Amino acid sequence: MKIFITGVAGYIGSHMALELLERGRHVVGIDNMVRGSQNALDVLSEFSTFTFIRMDLSGDIERIFQRHSIKTVFHFAAMASVAESFKMPMMYHRNITRCTQRLVDAMIAFNVGNLIYSSTCAVYGQPDSLPITEMTATEPTSPYGVAKLAAESYIKSKQSTTFTAQILRYFNVVGARADGRLCEARRLLDHRVLRGRRPPAV
């Protein structure tokens, strides 16, 4: 059985993929490479157990489940800039909420029952008290946070005895691997945002 990773050339996705590959797992990863790292792909491609498919989640993801025996999905693919989301709220809704809905529906249709979803602390907005816990009210103040929370809600609504999900809300994921093989590449994203480029769905 294989593990499917969306956004595999991204920061968190590539680190997760490398960890799994080093443990002898078979990984099938997709990324549209609008914001993905070619260096990350080069590192992952050193493993014969890694399969990369360049595509969006708006594409034919059903084909992946037809061709590969997938056991678990790690869903990392998403645009991830609070500032940018205010400029393109509908793009963030399509990229995050609708693409997540498509992925979940495809998983259920092909009996893939395990999802790990990459969410964000942005779903909390500006809480009245600290520290934030899982019991803190979710009141997002950005289109990015709203889109992520809507995706979370859809995932939760689909959970059953045959489809389970774990949702991870990150706070400022930073750093690099100790061996230096993978690290952050924020400069590329910042230039693209400043140039006003409108990426397609991830």
Side-chain angles (χ1 to χ4, degrees):
M1 301 293 284
K2 300 176 182 178
I3 295 173
F4 179 36
I5 298 181
T6 72
V8 74
Y11 177 51
I12 302 175
S14 60
H15 278 77
M16 187 74 252
L18 184 53
E19 181 71 21
L20 291 168
L21 290 166
E22 288 181 334
R23 296 187 182 196
R25 303 297 181 90
H26 290 246
V27 173
V28 177
I30 67 169
D31 203 296
N32 65 12
M33 296 307 293
V34 171
R35 294 177 176 175
S37 166
Q38 183 59 52
N39 175 70
L41 279 187
D42 292 343
V43 171
L44 299 178
S45 296
E46 295 173 6
F47 293 81
S48 61
T49 52
F50 176 65
T51 300
F52 174 67
I53 302 167
R54 184 168 183 167
M55 68 177 296
D56 295 336
L57 275 173
S58 58
D60 186 11
I61 55 175
E62 291 80 6
R63 173 170 53 92
I64 294 174
F65 294 117
Q66 289 172 340
R67 295 184 177 182
H68 300 275
S69 297
I70 304 296
K71 178 182 180 181
T72 298
V73 175
F74 286 81
H75 179 24
F76 298 113
M79 297 162 66
S81 167
V82 170
E84 185 185 53
S85 75
F86 283 103
K87 300 176 183 178
M88 298 184 289
M90 289 309 299
M91 178 71 76
Y92 268 68
H93 172 74
R94 289 192 296 270
N95 176 269
I96 295 172
T97 308
R98 289 177 58 182
C99 282
T100 299
Q101 291 170 346
R102 286 202 68 237
L103 176 62
V104 169
D105 290 346
M107 289 179 64
I108 293 172
F110 287 90
N111 298 312
V112 180
N114 302 307
L115 173 65
I116 292 86
Y117 179 57
S118 178
S119 191
T120 172
C121 65
V123 300
Y124 296 113
Q126 298 295 328
D128 295 329
S129 62
L130 297 174
I132 294 173
T133 72
E134 291 185 356
M135 303 305 294
T136 300
T138 50
E139 298 178 354
T141 56
S142 67
Y144 171 58
V146 169
K148 281 288 191 178
L149 186 59
E152 284 189 18
S153 297
Y154 190 79
I155 292 168
K156 291 175 182 177
S157 74
K158 295 295 183 177
Q159 290 198 92
S160 66
T161 56
T162 57
F163 176 75
T164 60
Q166 287 74 45
I167 295 172
L168 308 177
R169 293 172 176 168
Y170 303 126
F171 291 76
N172 300 326
V173 181
V174 297
R177 279 177 55 103
D179 60 15
R181 298 177 75 188
L182 292 176
C183 59
E184 291 185 90
R186 288 189 176 274
R187 190 171 300 173
L188 177 63
L189 171 59
D190 291 342
H191 286 320
R192 285 176 171 171
V193 172
L194 290 174
R195 292 171 187 165
R197 292 183 60 178
R198 296 173 64 88
V202 178

